[in-house]
């Protein structure tokens, strides 16, 4: 079945550092790919998405490119802030389906 | 933007009692809603798909009689944990897809503690 694997955390960085959180997937067909963020004490929020190969999703300085050849959707940000501290989830939605398959989540902590 | 609410946000109950959790889509209609369970420091595990006007679809390994789901209207789904036990303690999250914006919105979650 469909699955998502993301880099294990926790990840701790200093403010203004470069961030990469790796995400790879296994799916039949052509899934849509998502990054969700869960801030402390809050529900999941959609951060960005890409629906087809080579699409780049971006939001709040975060970017991820749908790479079909490497089945990857790595999350990047050039300069992180303390307020980016959260748990980040990579997810996919198979073609024609509505339910999401999530990766295990990566806890990110940014120190001032 | 679209909002999904859950009630209650926290509940503590005694072993053997039943607990109902509500999930509402506040400004869009959802014929389908999803119920997840999140263990500490782990990912979300899909429990079931709630379908308005028909039976819920449960994922493998999830007990239908334990976790009763009712999708009463296009904006409300409920999850009832029956005869709760301490191992049912967890964080339960619902989500609803807005088909117009093609975005899935998540509720803030319900922390269930069974004593």
């Amino acid at each position: 079945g469909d699955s998502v694997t993301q880099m294990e955390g926790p990840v701790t960085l200093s403010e203004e550092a470069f961030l990469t959180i790796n995400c790879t997937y296994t799916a039949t067909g052509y899934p849509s790919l998502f990054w969700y963020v869960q801030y402390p004490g809050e529900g999941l929020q959609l951060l960005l998405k890409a629906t087809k190969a080579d699409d780049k999703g971006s939001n709040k300085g975060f970017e991820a490119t749908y790479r079909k050849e490497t089945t990857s959707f790595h999350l990047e940000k050039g300069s992180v802030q303390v307020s980016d501290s959260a748990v980040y989830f990579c997810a996919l939605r198979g073609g024609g389906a509505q339910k999401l398959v999530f990766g295990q989540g990566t806890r990110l902590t940014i120190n001032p | 933007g679209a909002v999904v609410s859950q009630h209650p946000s926290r509940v503590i109950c005694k072993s053997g009692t039943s607990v109902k959790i509500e999930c509402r889509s506040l400004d869009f209609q959802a014929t389908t809603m999803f119920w997840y369970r999140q263990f500490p420091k782990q990912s979300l595990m899909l429990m079931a798909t709630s379908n308005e006007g028909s039976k819920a679809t449960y994922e493998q390994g999830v007990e239908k009689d334990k976790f009763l789901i009712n999708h009463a209207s296009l904006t409300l789904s409920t999850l009832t944990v029956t005869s709760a036990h301490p191992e049912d303690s967890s964080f339960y999250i619902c989500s609803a897809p807005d088909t117009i914006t093609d975005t899935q919105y998540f509720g803030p979650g319900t922390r269930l503690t069974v004593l």
Side-chain angles (χ1 to χ4, degrees):
Chain A
D2 296 349
S3 66
V4 175
T5 303
Q6 41 180 125
M7 83 189 264
E8 290 192 23
V11 174
T12 302
L13 296 172
S14 297
E15 205 165 20
E16 299 184 2
F18 183 86
L19 169 72
T20 300
I21 301 178
N22 289 338
C23 172
T24 57
Y25 67 90
T26 303
T28 55
Y30 303 96
S32 295
L33 302 174
F34 306 83
W35 277 100
Y36 280 84
V37 57
Q38 186 177 30
Y39 297 105
E42 299 184 18
L44 272 73
Q45 302 173 26
L46 177 65
L47 181 59
L48 53 84
K49 68 178 181 181
T51 57
K52 62 182 188 296
D54 299 325
D55 268 2
K56 178 187 284 188
S58 61
N59 185 24
K60 299 181 181 181
F62 290 90
E63 292 183 340
T65 301
Y66 188 143
R67 301 283 187 203
K68 192 170 186 298
E69 64 276 12
T70 55
T71 61
S72 64
F73 193 55
H74 304 322
L75 182 68
E76 296 182 337
K77 185 172 185 180
S79 176
V80 292
Q81 306 299 314
V82 173
S83 57
D84 294 327
S85 298
V87 181
Y88 291 81
F89 293 94
C90 186
L92 72 80
R93 187 181 69 202
Q98 287 186 320
K99 65 181 183 182
L100 294 169
V101 175
F102 285 90
Q104 64 268 44
T106 302
R107 182 174 298 277
L108 173 67
T109 301
I110 307 300
N111 294 320
Chain B
V3 176
V4 172
S5 70
Q6 276 184 246
H7 178 79
S9 57
R10 294 176 184 271
V11 57
I12 301 173
C13 69
K14 292 182 179 179
S15 188
T17 60
S18 295
V19 174
K20 180 186 284 188
I21 302 170
E22 293 186 348
C23 177
R24 294 180 185 272
S25 56
L26 296 185
D27 55 5
F28 66 100
Q29 294 182 334
T31 55
T32 301
M33 292 186 180
F34 300 98
W35 286 97
Y36 296 86
R37 185 170 176 178
Q38 185 179 27
F39 293 96
K41 299 184 179 180
Q42 293 189 32
S43 188
L44 283 74
M45 181 194 79
L46 179 65
M47 299 174 64
T49 303
S50 173
N51 303 300
E52 190 270 336
S54 64
K55 291 182 179 179
T57 306
Y58 290 82
E59 297 299 304
Q60 194 170 12
V62 178
E63 298 176 58
K64 300 178 184 181
D65 296 332
K66 175 88 178 153
F67 298 100
L68 300 180
I69 291 172
N70 182 32
H71 201 135
S73 73
L74 288 172
T75 58
L76 173 64
S77 174
T78 59
L79 168 68
T80 301
V81 183
T82 63
S83 187
H85 290 286
E87 57 265 30
D88 298 325
S89 298
S90 194
F91 195 55
Y92 292 87
I93 301 172
C94 71
S95 72
D98 181 347
T99 54
I100 293 176
T101 60
D102 191 32
T103 299
Q104 189 156 152
Y105 295 96
F106 286 78
T110 297
R111 172 77 58 195
L112 170 64
T113 303
V114 184
L115 302 177

